[in-house]
Amino acid sequence: MTATGRALFYHLTQSGLEDTLLLILSRATGQGWRVMVRGTAADRLEDLDKRLWLAGGPEAFLAHGMEGGPQDGDQPVLLGQGAVPPGAAGLVLIDGAESSVDEALGLERVWVLFDGGDEAQVMKARTLWTRLTTGGMAAQYWTEETGRWVMKVEKAAGA
């Protein structure tokens, strides 16, 4: 399998998860991509589902659904803990959720959002960076330490 996309690691130190997630999902769906948001806890995903329904008002509505419904494969954004639905172009990993190299290589984008104040999430992100880049995927590390997002490290596919 050939790596066509890249993994983007976002080290959250100032922005909240919901704000960063909404920005990423709005851009991805604006390109016509379907995206899976994978978390590690069902209650966290349910809370995120409620927040996304209320975010931005009617003019910025982000269509999405929770995994397990009859239209999972049709959702522009699907929140869950399972497999990426067929036809999805992207995967957002939150709260230390994982992805295999094979799964990631089959996608246009994998976004890894991790809390800089949570050492367990930082360590998982480092491990995932190593696994994905060693597996042949291009990756970028983004930080907001200066108050705005800046790319600090980039690794080419297969490098």
Side-chain angles (χ1 to χ4, degrees):
M1 181 175 288
T2 303
T4 59
R6 71 184 62 194
L8 304 175
F9 287 73
Y10 284 87
H11 190 163
L12 303 172
T13 56
Q14 296 183 32
S15 297
L17 172 73
E18 290 85 3
D19 292 336
T20 305
L21 183 60
L22 190 58
L23 178 67
I24 288 168
L25 293 175
S26 295
R27 288 181 180 170
T29 57
Q31 293 184 49
W33 290 358
R34 291 189 15 245
V35 178
M36 170 82 177
V37 177
R38 181 181 294 152
T40 57
D43 58 339
R44 170 79 153 137
L45 290 166
E46 289 169 7
D47 183 55
L48 191 54
D49 173 49
K50 291 174 189 165
R51 290 176 184 257
L52 288 176
W53 280 112
L54 301 173
E59 65 282 350
F61 173 72
L62 181 65
H64 69 281
M66 290 291 293
E67 181 181 55
Q71 283 90 24
D72 281 4
D74 298 325
Q75 294 291 351
V77 175
L78 185 65
L79 307 172
Q81 295 175 291
V84 174
L91 171 63
V92 180
L93 301 171
I94 62 169
D95 300 333
E98 296 279 337
S99 174
S100 70
V101 173
D102 286 342
E103 176 183 57
L105 287 174
L107 299 167
E108 290 292 326
R109 279 303 170 275
V110 175
W111 296 270
V112 181
L113 307 182
F114 60 101
D115 181 349
D118 183 327
E119 190 58 30
Q121 285 188 34
V122 171
M123 293 306 295
K124 280 189 168 198
R126 286 180 182 154
T127 300
L128 186 57
W129 171 279
T130 301
R131 191 168 63 236
L132 293 179
T133 57
T134 301
M137 190 165 206
Q140 296 176 345
Y141 168 75
W142 291 79
T143 181
E144 58 179 346
E145 62 194 27
T146 64
R148 62 183 188 92
W149 288 108
V150 176
M151 185 179 55
K152 297 287 271 191
V153 178
E154 183 169 27
K155 189 163 186 181

